[in-house]
Amino acid sequence: MLVLNLIEAITDALDVEMGLDDSIVVFGEDVGFEGGVFRATKGLQKKYGEKRCFDTVLAEASIIGSGIGMAINGLKPVVELQFSGFMFPGYNQIVTHAARMRNRSRGAYTVPMVIRMPYGAGVRALEHHSESLEVLFAHIAGLKVVIPSTPYDAKGLMIAAIRDPDPVIFLEPKRIYRAFKQEVPEDDYVIPIGKAKILKEGNDLTVVSWGAMVRDVQNAIAIIEKEGFSIEHIDLRTISPIDRETIIESVKKTGRFVVVHEAAQSFGPGAELITIVNEGAFLYLEAPPTRIASPDIIVPLPKGEHHYLVNKNTIKDELEKVLKY
Amino acid sequence: MLFDKHNPQTDEMIQIMDQDGVIVRPDLMPTLTVEEMIKMYKTMVFVRVIDTKTVQYQRQGRILTYAPNFGQEATQVGSISAANKSDWVASAFRELGVWLHKGIPLYNVLLYWYGNELGMKMPEGVRVLPVNVPIASQFQHATGLAYASMYRGEDDVVLAYVGDGGTSHGEFHEALNFAAVKNTANVFIIQNNQYAISTKRTNQTKSRTLAQKAVAYGMPGRYVDGNDVFAMYAVTKEAVENARKGNGPTLIEAYTYRLGAHTTADDPTVYRDDEEVKAWEKKDPIDRFRKYLISQGHWDEEKEKQLIKEKESIIKEEFEKVEKSGFVSLEDVFDYTYATKTKLLEEQYNNIKAREAREAK
Ligand SMILES: Cc1ncc(C[n+]2csc(CCOP(=O)(O)OP(=O)(O)O)c2C)c(N)n1
């Protein structure tokens, strides 16, 4: 067993898979020599050579676009975008090509590619370094979207993403990159994409979260359970394709539902989740399904960021409201 | 036209003053009054003092992230001094000398880096766009600013700044093409400081110079010693005048070096060695300019000491003011989303306000 934090687990996953499959290539801005600005690819160039792990020029469209070409022609690119806020120049390639190639070529050409990027607020960063953009990918047919919340899941999901036959957007909650360590098996293992995880069973309320929010929700639950409530907590892990069964089954049992996310409220992931609950477990509901989300504003710079992020208190208050409805 | 014989596709760099402060091309020397030169020098020193102090503040945990300008002072101050007050600037994030010259108060700049958007609210009459983090995208805005001036028959010029890394971006190329096709009054300045974070300029493009990219778009390109304040001034001056006369855009490559870290979050020792840095320290743009001014009898050690003391006390004072500025209000983070708050935003605002009131108890 290794003991790793989340970013080390990602490095380890890349390392293990590169060792097993020599069609894997890893690249992006500052990814090769330096090992990435967060050091997610540290040591890979040294170990596997410049051909397999390299720095690109500063151009996201080219990182994604050339990755698509490589994937069509037999390689498995795992590319890094330095921050999710800088994915937009590459978004055109992601949406208009990576997502559609299988369909456009009726299966003759495919894009087995992983697009990694750190995302999320709460790190007191500069502009464009804090957004949560999962719905911009989840809304696009042909893309899969994965978000780990623990080192163990990060490794297993990364390996699953690399082995997936379709493009996978791998969003990394950078707020918890180094927040805690966990035992992680040395060898390769897979956590299936599309499968949520019940972190904790309970009877009175189902709460769904993912990424860095998982820990905030756990903290809120710990307080609330002292009041005698029993809460079921689900880590979604894959945003798309979404694990509807696990959520619906849970709500059928608890009768109450709350989703907590860092992304802005309007047209956010919560809207989709609540619809799933309404469609699948409406007659079991004892309270209106609820979302806890960030307001519909631009993520503020550090001196205003505390107004933005959903915190433990908000989560606790909202959960209580739903429990006592 | 002083520089129309210049060929940006060769290694011949435009230099007027060498690294010892000696004027090697008197024929190209721009006409600047002593006051103008002293003003430029003072701004360059101010930039150096601000960077030095702010990096210290960052180490003390008093500010989060900062991108210093060490070594690029001549590139910035030399070029912007050639523009008029009414000319626009679309810069990236490493252009402190440009901002100060254009009249952005130091307080504002520090407030921004401190984490408050209010810092980028430009005072009346300061035609500078806010700090631009998404690399090279500001180049496109520069072309639009210039088109609008041209549309109204005004003769304002728009200066845009980008790093060497930024020249790899599609938006850089699209902007040059737009400007050339529409013949807009743009001056595009590349601060080639040899690195984009850890990525060397030589890994960024196979072009011999960055200035030669101008050739493909059908505009003049100038390859300039960016540590020579006179060369930067003279080349930019000609480009600005040219644009003002309606003769279209110019691309300038300022060949310089980032003596410090990319930002305070970066450790340059990972990707470059000390020898290289030391060699460039010998070409320091401020030392060079000072040597020249002293040799001409315009400056001396006593004035230097005075200047540094004065600037150090200004940055100290301004930074302390910034530290006392506190947090950004809830109103501020909501009020600039739209011209008028939507009903939903009003509701979200009220909810957060109530929550914060509860938490304050
Ligand atoms: C579109 C985009 N991609 C990535 C980044 C992250 N990033 C910030 S600065 C930087 C390097 C910029 O290098 P260069 O253009 O040479 O300017 P310098 O920092 O050297 O002044 C990168 C990659 C960004 N800000 N924007």
Side-chain angles (χ1 to χ4, degrees):
Chain A
M1 281 284 178
L2 304 165
V3 179
L4 305 175
N5 64 31
L6 198 148
I7 191 148
E8 291 164 345
I10 288 168
T11 315
D12 186 56
L14 297 174
D15 188 0
V16 168
E17 278 299 274
M18 285 177 90
L20 295 173
D21 179 353
D22 62 15
S23 67
I24 296 169
V25 285
V26 171
F27 55 94
E29 291 156 18
D30 306 290
V31 157
F33 187 76
E34 187 182 52
V37 292
F38 287 103
R39 307 291 187 263
T41 52
K42 193 177 161 192
L44 298 179
Q45 183 176 80
K46 214 166 181 186
K47 187 160 174 187
Y48 297 103
E50 232 177 287
K51 212 168 141 189
R52 296 191 63 194
C53 177
F54 57 91
D55 290 332
T56 63
V57 302
L58 204 174
E60 289 75 14
S62 122
I63 293 170
I64 307 293
S66 57
I68 291 169
M70 290 179 208
I72 291 170
N73 196 13
L75 297 185
K76 282 191 191 162
V78 182
V79 304
E80 173 177 300
L81 298 180
Q82 211 157 71
F83 287 88
S84 70
F86 304 134
M87 68 89 178
F88 292 99
Y91 192 58
N92 177 37
Q93 287 286 347
I94 295 175
V95 176
T96 59
H97 296 292
R100 303 166 75 100
M101 192 55 74
R102 178 184 297 280
N103 181 64
R104 286 170 64 207
S105 67
R106 285 297 181 261
Y109 297 134
T110 59
V111 183
M113 174 180 184
V114 182
I115 302 170
R116 298 180 37 239
M117 59 191 99
Y119 86 100
V123 294
R124 307 202 295 164
L126 303 173
E127 245 184 308
H128 309 289
H129 289 71
S130 303
E131 4 295 301
S132 290
L133 304 172
E134 56 267 41
V135 285
L136 297 193
F137 301 110
H139 189 64
I140 305 299
L143 299 179
K144 295 181 179 176
V145 185
V146 165
I147 302 181
S149 75
T150 65
Y152 179 83
D153 283 359
K155 179 169 177 181
L157 283 167
M158 177 55 79
I159 294 177
I162 294 172
R163 295 180 187 177
D164 199 276
D166 286 303
V168 178
I169 310 294
F170 199 91
L171 294 169
E172 301 170 6
K174 63 177 176 297
R175 175 151 66 98
I176 54 165
Y177 259 161
R178 299 187 163 83
F180 60 100
K181 294 199 175 202
Q182 202 179 37
E183 285 202 339
V184 173
E186 268 173 58
D187 292 338
D188 62 309
Y189 60 92
V190 163
I191 291 182
I193 291 176
K195 202 78 201 89
K197 182 181 184 183
I198 299 173
L199 294 176
K200 193 191 142 305
E201 298 202 19
N203 300 315
D204 302 330
L205 165 69
T206 300
V207 185
V208 172
S209 62
W210 54 91
M213 267 312 159
V214 168
R215 304 228 309 155
D216 299 324
V217 169
Q218 282 173 326
N219 291 336
I221 289 176
I223 302 174
I224 286 192
E225 290 208 324
K226 286 197 191 115
E227 297 167 26
F229 295 107
S230 154
I231 292 169
E232 182 140 310
H233 186 194
I234 298 174
D235 178 356
L236 197 57
R237 298 198 296 196
T238 298
I239 308 301
S240 176
I242 205 161
D243 181 357
R244 303 180 342 162
E245 294 72 23
T246 300
I247 295 161
I248 290 168
E249 280 319 303
S250 174
V251 176
K252 279 183 177 170
K253 177 174 74 176
T254 64
R256 290 180 158 87
F257 177 80
V258 175
V259 47
V260 186
H261 60 71
E262 223 181 285
Q265 175 182 304
S266 293
F267 307 95
E272 181 64 29
L273 278 149
I274 289 176
T275 305
I276 287 168
V277 168
N278 281 337
E279 285 169 349
F282 190 75
L283 296 177
Y284 296 81
L285 286 170
E286 291 163 43
T290 300
R291 59 185 163 181
I292 306 175
S294 297
D296 295 306
I297 58 175
I298 314 288
V299 187
L301 289 181
K303 289 292 158 187
E305 204 182 6
H306 59 289
H307 299 301
Y308 182 80
L309 264 187
V310 169
N311 67 20
K312 193 176 67 182
N313 296 333
T314 325
I315 300 171
K316 184 185 140 278
D317 292 352
E318 292 297 319
L319 296 191
E320 267 172 2
K321 263 191 235 162
V322 175
L323 282 162
K324 292 173 182 165
Y325 182 85
Chain B
M1 291 280 282
L2 283 170
F3 302 106
D4 54 357
K5 296 265 152 35
H6 174 74
N7 179 357
Q9 288 170 290
T10 68
D11 290 339
E12 245 172 82
M13 194 157 66
I14 299 169
Q15 189 190 62
I16 295 176
M17 171 172 63
D18 72 9
Q19 70 184 61
D20 300 316
V22 176
I23 304 301
V24 290
R25 290 293 304 271
D27 55 320
L28 299 177
M29 186 65 181
T31 36
L32 284 162
T33 65
V34 175
E35 287 80 63
E36 283 168 334
M37 284 194 272
I38 297 293
K39 183 180 174 215
M40 288 160 76
Y41 180 72
K42 285 184 170 173
T43 307
M44 286 165 64
V45 172
F46 196 20
V47 171
R48 183 67 59 94
V49 171
I50 294 164
D51 280 354
T52 309
K53 284 285 162 196
T54 311
V55 168
Q56 281 172 14
Y57 297 147
Q58 198 279 338
R59 293 211 180 103
Q60 295 162 359
R62 292 162 72 186
I63 191 164
L64 295 160
T65 318
Y66 182 70
N69 306 268
F70 298 115
Q72 299 178 224
E73 297 87 349
T75 293
Q76 299 171 5
V77 177
S79 58
I80 196 62
S81 299
N84 288 350
K85 171 110 180 94
S86 63
D87 292 338
W88 280 90
V89 166
S91 52
F93 51 83
R94 201 189 305 285
E95 277 89 11
L96 180 59
V98 175
W99 304 332
L100 295 175
H101 179 92
K102 282 301 270 180
I104 306 182
L106 174 58
Y107 178 81
N108 284 44
V109 175
L110 293 171
L111 190 66
Y112 173 78
W113 286 111
Y114 196 62
N116 187 335
E117 290 83 350
L118 190 61
M120 279 299 122
K121 178 177 182 179
M122 295 300 148
E124 195 62 34
V126 174
R127 295 182 134 183
V128 181
L129 299 187
V131 163
N132 192 89
V133 175
I135 301 294
S137 51
Q138 73 277 12
F139 260 45
Q140 313 261 32
H141 314 148
T143 63
L145 291 168
Y147 189 90
S149 290
M150 185 168 82
Y151 181 88
R152 286 192 299 266
E154 296 158 1
D155 69 352
D156 300 319
V157 176
V158 183
L159 290 87
Y161 291 82
V162 78
D164 44 302
T167 66
S168 292
H169 225 271
E171 302 204 55
F172 168 86
H173 295 272
E174 291 175 19
L176 293 190
N177 199 35
F178 182 105
V181 168
K182 290 289 171 205
N183 202 45
T184 49
N186 283 108
V187 177
F188 299 108
I189 297 163
I190 305 163
Q191 294 203 67
N192 173 10
N193 65 8
Q194 313 301 334
Y195 286 90
I197 311 186
S198 74
T199 306
K200 286 184 162 55
R201 142 70 180 93
T202 44
N203 292 334
Q204 201 67 244
T205 170
K206 283 289 169 192
S207 301
R208 186 175 192 143
T209 68
L210 300 174
Q212 79 181 59
K213 294 182 189 286
V215 176
Y217 296 103
M219 68 172 79
R222 307 283 184 245
Y223 179 50
V224 189
D225 180 349
N227 287 11
D228 171 358
V229 70
F230 294 132
M232 280 309 298
Y233 179 87
V235 168
T236 313
K237 186 84 185 165
E238 185 172 276
V240 165
E241 307 274 87
N242 218 21
R244 206 181 305 289
K245 278 187 241 145
N247 296 333
T250 300
L251 176 67
I252 298 170
E253 172 185 0
Y255 192 82
T256 180
Y257 192 79
R258 193 190 78 212
L259 290 171
H262 169 71
T263 67
T264 45
D266 170 53
D267 174 11
T269 62
V270 173
Y271 53 80
R272 68 185 189 189
D273 48 56
D274 254 12
E275 292 310 305
E276 183 184 295
V277 183
K278 286 210 184 90
W280 273 94
E281 276 170 357
K282 294 206 183 84
K283 302 183 198 174
D284 191 301
I286 297 181
D287 290 349
R288 190 187 297 202
F289 196 6
R290 186 189 318 106
K291 281 180 196 156
Y292 170 81
L293 291 173
I294 291 175
S295 76
Q296 301 300 301
H298 303 321
W299 198 250
D300 57 43
E301 289 304 323
E302 193 44 44
K303 283 182 181 153
E304 180 77 12
K305 260 192 236 153
Q306 267 315 108
L307 176 65
I308 290 180
K309 222 172 106 187
E310 177 198 324
K311 296 300 185 196
E312 279 180 344
S313 80
I314 296 176
I315 163 81
K316 192 164 168 280
E317 223 171 87
E318 294 303 307
F319 190 72
E320 281 168 7
K321 259 201 275 172
V322 165
E323 280 186 312
K324 291 198 189 96
S325 66
F327 288 99
V328 174
S329 71
L330 185 63
E331 285 74 12
D332 258 27
V333 302
F334 273 84
D335 280 359
Y336 302 96
T337 315
Y338 300 103
T340 27
K341 246 200 235 116
T342 60
K343 271 190 193 158
L344 178 62
L345 281 179
E346 193 69 54
E347 189 186 305
Q348 292 177 344
Y349 167 81
N350 287 328
N351 287 342
I352 295 177
K353 196 171 164 183
R355 180 197 88 201
E356 290 182 354
R358 283 198 304 277
E359 282 173 353
K361 272 194 219 138

